[in-house]
Amino acid sequence: MSKKLIGVDLGGTTIKFAILTEQGDVQQKWSLKTNILDEGQHIVPDIVESINHHIDLYQMKREQFIGIGMGTPGTVDLEKGTVEGAFNLNWKALQPVKEKIEAGTGLPFALDNDANVAALGERWKGAGNNEDEVAFITLGTGVGGGLITNGELIHGINGAGGEVGHMNVEPNGYLCTCGNHGCLEQYTSATGIVHLAQDAAEEYVGDSKLKAMIDDGQEITSKIVFDLAQKEDDFLANQVVDKVGYYLGLACANISDILNPQYVVIGGGVSAAGDFLLDRVKESFMRFAFATVRNSTKLKLAQLGNDAGVIGAASLATRFTK
Amino acid sequence: MSKKLIGVDLGGTTIKFAILTEQGDVQQKWSLKTNILDEGQHIVPDIVESINHHIDLYQMKREQFIGIGMGTPGTVDLEKGTVEGAFNLNWKALQPVKEKIEAGTGLPFALDNDANVAALGERWKGAGNNEDEVAFITLGTGVGGGLITNGELIHGINGAGGEVGHMNVEPNGYLCTCGNHGCLEQYTSATGIVHLAQDAAEEYVGDSKLKAMIDDGQEITSKIVFDLAQKEDDFLANQVVDKVGYYLGLACANISDILNPQYVVIGGGVSAAGDFLLDRVKESFMRFAFATVRNSTKLKLAQLGNDAGVIGAASLATRFTK
């Protein structure tokens, strides 16, 4: 019987789990609410207990598993298997995650940060077609990235490789949470898109449902902006989508001039806007990318949705087969 | 007796050669004028003859050599060892360089493009300190790059990885030879700097020797701009150097947000301006780079000058030891 992998996707609201074959096919999935109380000290014990419980539940044996891989927020020390600065988990101190999970489950454990793990998932079983050159950008509350070249993730010396959300796309632009001005995240994350919409509404005097909603004090989301643009052909909403496409295309061009990947895969909640957004990103990418890059690198939407994390996490555990 | 490497740096005006120890120490150097006549068909035979001649001249034997590595302009097929599109060599057709040099010298041969090879040289024996994470930018007539992550060069799928000269730094900026507007090359190459100076002179009405020279129709070089700025404190020349530093720092920040390298090494003829330029690049880098990157990635000047090419080229041949 072939061996299995366990993938864990640790997030601020839920912890997702999956049991996969060595080939990356998901066989079982479950999830748990993340308990961030008491400085997040319940999280790791909850993960251990849930894995042990499910191995028993499915009447499986430890020997059937190659190992566990996990994606986590925060800064990861790959060698030591520790995490720090994961604020949405309420983890204030350094967490010896690998040590505790290996002790609690009896299985080898590897981890990486959540964007990198999602990139590995999309590369392995999603839009990345298992290529050795894949760039992944995730557009959610923030903007993250996982970049793969020569078949390996780019971590850089301090784990900050792939910080595409903080590439500069507008030198005197919006103030970012990182302290700089004009980071990509401020223009293409869910919150950045709302910011763009609010500023656009303030300057606009024509007829627009988006403007009316904002002026009325209604809560706007990036989804509302895309829906108004696509379904109601709202002029102002379309202006905002144009800007999002422009900035994301510019960033994709600069990333691709550096990496010349096979694919730039765009995922995360904002990418639910689909081709309606992607077409504008491509337009801007074609304008800014170097000819050789423009003719070889392709922009694609992510394919795995929420499963990218557990699948990519599980792929970290394939190293234990060797 | 330890074995030797041969490094060849093929350029449009000269071909540089060196014999190095396995440790990368240069023991012999010589060079040849590049004969680009007759569609560059003399180039490869000249290289073969020169290598054979020098092996005899130094009374060495083929068995003492591990192999030959070469850096070349144009687009390189690493597997096949061919080159195409090297216009400054007058090579119009695809060149089977590896096949011919191996046949002519009896030694194994590897090649890569010139910027990549210079990056390998600076990484191995120069400013890169032999680290696994090094970005190299060369500022000459054009702007090129060689990027090393996880200890390997980034080639991308079409050999266009590391095309940092065509990263966009000014969306509606100067028209580039590549057809796009606002590429880094147009602001930080020797020719780009002259362009900046000419435009600055046109707008400026104050007292400036740089402006006087330009208005007088004298030929300006990037060296003249730097000299006037540094030695004569010319106001306009300093404005130009500020702009060069601004754009290069912005590009270094975006590269580093992607790669988080140990060092960004700045080389090429323009880098002769030294710390006078580097200090301004750093200022702009600190403004635009993500905090984690800003605090870990360091900007440095290249150290090997013209030898980077032959040293890096020779390092390609170390693969034949295995």
Side-chain angles (χ1 to χ4, degrees):
Chain A
M1 199 177 139
S2 80
K3 291 205 156 191
K4 309 294 182 210
L5 305 164
I6 296 175
V8 184
D9 180 7
L10 172 55
T13 50
T14 56
I15 311 172
K16 300 187 195 73
F17 298 82
I19 294 175
L20 297 87
T21 64
E22 265 189 272
Q23 290 71 41
D25 297 317
V26 176
Q27 297 200 309
Q28 305 286 349
K29 282 206 288 189
W30 70 96
S31 72
L32 213 64
K33 198 170 163 307
T34 312
N35 178 0
I36 62 166
L37 293 177
D38 307 320
E39 300 200 354
Q41 63 173 284
H42 306 293
I43 294 173
V44 172
D46 284 355
I47 292 170
V48 168
E49 201 199 310
S50 186
I51 289 174
N52 287 336
H53 172 67
H54 280 78
I55 291 178
D56 293 343
L57 187 68
Y58 300 126
Q59 300 184 315
M60 297 178 83
K61 293 200 171 71
R62 256 153 205 74
E63 302 77 62
Q64 285 178 258
F65 291 93
I66 293 162
I68 305 166
M70 185 169 95
T72 174
T75 305
V76 173
D77 185 317
L78 298 174
E79 308 259 305
K80 295 185 184 137
T82 57
V83 179
E84 63 184 328
F87 300 108
N88 56 348
L89 300 177
N90 221 353
W91 279 354
K92 283 163 190 161
L94 182 104
Q95 304 288 323
V97 176
K98 177 182 163 78
E99 188 190 317
K100 287 188 179 174
I101 292 184
E102 288 191 340
T105 63
L107 289 170
F109 176 87
L111 85 173
D112 207 325
N113 83 45
D114 40 15
N116 281 344
V117 152
L120 290 176
E122 281 293 341
R123 176 228 185 174
W124 192 23
K125 303 300 288 185
N129 212 15
N130 214 15
E131 297 288 347
D132 278 349
E133 307 288 334
V134 177
F136 174 73
I137 303 179
T138 174
L139 311 172
T141 320
V143 171
L147 309 173
I148 295 160
T149 184
N150 295 312
E152 283 188 80
L153 278 168
I154 297 175
H155 287 103
I157 55 159
N158 215 352
E163 279 292 358
V164 299
H166 298 281
M167 289 178 73
N168 193 288
V169 291
E170 189 60 86
N172 296 303
Y174 289 163
L175 178 64
C176 184
T177 49
C178 80
N180 292 348
H181 284 264
C183 296
L184 177 67
E185 178 162 299
Q186 294 305 314
Y187 296 89
T188 61
S189 66
T191 42
I193 294 167
V194 172
H195 191 175
L196 282 173
Q198 285 164 335
D199 275 14
E202 204 159 297
E203 285 177 12
Y204 187 63
V205 288
D207 193 40
S208 154
K209 189 163 170 188
L210 177 61
K211 179 177 166 60
M213 286 176 76
I214 291 170
D215 289 351
D216 189 41
Q218 294 179 43
E219 202 179 326
I220 300 296
T221 63
S222 61
K223 186 175 183 323
I224 292 173
V225 174
F226 285 115
D227 282 348
L228 288 173
Q230 186 167 19
K231 294 171 192 161
E232 308 203 16
D233 203 22
D234 187 279
F235 178 80
L236 194 68
N238 269 296
Q239 269 200 334
V240 173
V241 180
D242 281 345
K243 282 197 179 173
V244 176
Y246 165 85
Y247 286 115
L248 189 54
L250 172 60
C252 287
N254 281 338
I255 292 167
S256 299
D257 286 346
I258 291 176
L259 301 178
N260 187 207
Q262 182 88 50
Y263 304 115
V264 179
V265 177
I266 297 168
V270 170
S271 74
D275 286 328
F276 183 71
L277 172 61
L278 189 66
D279 287 345
R280 305 196 201 191
V281 180
K282 281 180 181 169
E283 198 178 304
S284 165
F285 172 79
M286 295 308 267
R287 173 179 165 198
F288 292 118
F290 184 55
T292 321
V293 169
R294 193 163 65 215
N295 296 330
S296 52
T297 295
K298 300 274 172 279
L299 271 53
K300 280 178 97 172
L301 293 167
Q303 294 173 352
L304 300 180
N306 283 332
D307 285 352
V310 285
I311 294 173
S315 79
L316 292 174
T318 58
R319 72 183 64 168
F320 300 123
T321 51
K322 287 154 201 160
Chain B
M1 199 175 141
S2 78
K3 290 203 154 192
K4 310 293 183 211
L5 305 164
I6 295 176
V8 184
D9 180 6
L10 172 56
T13 49
T14 56
I15 311 172
K16 300 186 195 76
F17 298 81
I19 294 174
L20 297 87
T21 63
E22 265 190 89
Q23 290 71 41
D25 297 317
V26 176
Q27 297 200 310
Q28 304 286 350
K29 282 205 290 190
W30 71 97
S31 70
L32 215 63
K33 200 171 162 306
T34 312
N35 178 359
I36 62 166
L37 293 178
D38 307 319
E39 300 201 355
Q41 63 173 286
H42 306 292
I43 294 174
V44 172
D46 284 355
I47 291 171
V48 167
E49 200 200 310
S50 186
I51 289 173
N52 287 335
H53 172 67
H54 280 79
I55 291 178
D56 293 343
L57 186 70
Y58 300 128
Q59 300 185 316
M60 297 177 84
K61 296 200 169 70
R62 256 154 205 71
E63 302 78 62
Q64 286 177 258
F65 290 93
I66 293 163
I68 305 167
M70 185 168 95
T72 173
T75 305
V76 173
D77 185 319
L78 298 175
E79 308 259 304
K80 295 185 185 139
T82 57
V83 179
E84 63 184 329
F87 302 106
N88 56 348
L89 300 178
N90 220 353
W91 279 354
K92 282 161 191 164
L94 182 104
Q95 305 288 323
V97 176
K98 178 183 162 76
E99 189 190 317
K100 287 189 178 171
I101 292 184
E102 288 190 342
T105 62
L107 290 170
F109 176 86
L111 86 172
D112 207 324
N113 83 45
D114 41 15
N116 282 344
V117 151
L120 289 175
E122 281 293 340
R123 176 224 185 177
W124 191 23
K125 304 300 289 184
N129 210 16
N130 214 15
E131 296 288 347
D132 278 349
E133 307 289 335
V134 177
F136 174 73
I137 303 178
T138 174
L139 313 172
T141 320
V143 171
L147 308 174
I148 295 159
T149 182
N150 295 312
E152 283 188 79
L153 278 168
I154 298 175
H155 288 102
I157 56 159
N158 216 351
E163 278 291 358
V164 299
H166 298 281
M167 291 180 71
N168 192 287
V169 291
E170 189 62 84
N172 296 303
Y174 289 163
L175 178 65
C176 185
T177 49
C178 79
N180 291 347
H181 283 264
C183 295
L184 178 66
E185 179 163 298
Q186 294 305 314
Y187 297 90
T188 60
S189 66
T191 43
I193 294 167
V194 171
H195 191 174
L196 281 174
Q198 284 163 335
D199 274 14
E202 204 159 297
E203 284 177 12
Y204 187 63
V205 288
D207 192 42
S208 155
K209 188 164 171 189
L210 177 62
K211 180 177 168 59
M213 287 176 75
I214 291 170
D215 290 351
D216 189 43
Q218 293 179 41
E219 202 180 326
I220 298 296
T221 62
S222 62
K223 186 177 184 319
I224 291 173
V225 175
F226 285 116
D227 282 348
L228 288 173
Q230 186 168 16
K231 293 172 193 160
E232 307 203 17
D233 204 21
D234 186 279
F235 178 80
L236 194 68
N238 268 298
Q239 269 200 334
V240 174
V241 179
D242 281 344
K243 282 196 178 176
V244 176
Y246 165 85
Y247 287 115
L248 188 54
L250 171 60
C252 287
N254 281 339
I255 293 167
S256 300
D257 286 346
I258 291 176
L259 302 178
N260 188 205
Q262 182 87 52
Y263 304 114
V264 180
V265 177
I266 298 166
V270 170
S271 75
D275 286 328
F276 184 70
L277 171 61
L278 188 65
D279 287 345
R280 304 195 202 193
V281 180
K282 282 181 180 169
E283 197 178 306
S284 166
F285 172 79
M286 296 306 267
R287 172 178 165 198
F288 291 119
F290 185 55
T292 321
V293 170
R294 194 163 64 216
N295 296 329
S296 51
T297 295
K298 300 274 171 279
L299 273 53
K300 281 177 97 171
L301 294 168
Q303 294 173 352
L304 300 180
N306 284 333
D307 286 351
V310 285
I311 294 174
S315 78
L316 292 174
T318 58
R319 70 183 66 170
F320 300 123
T321 51
K322 286 153 202 167

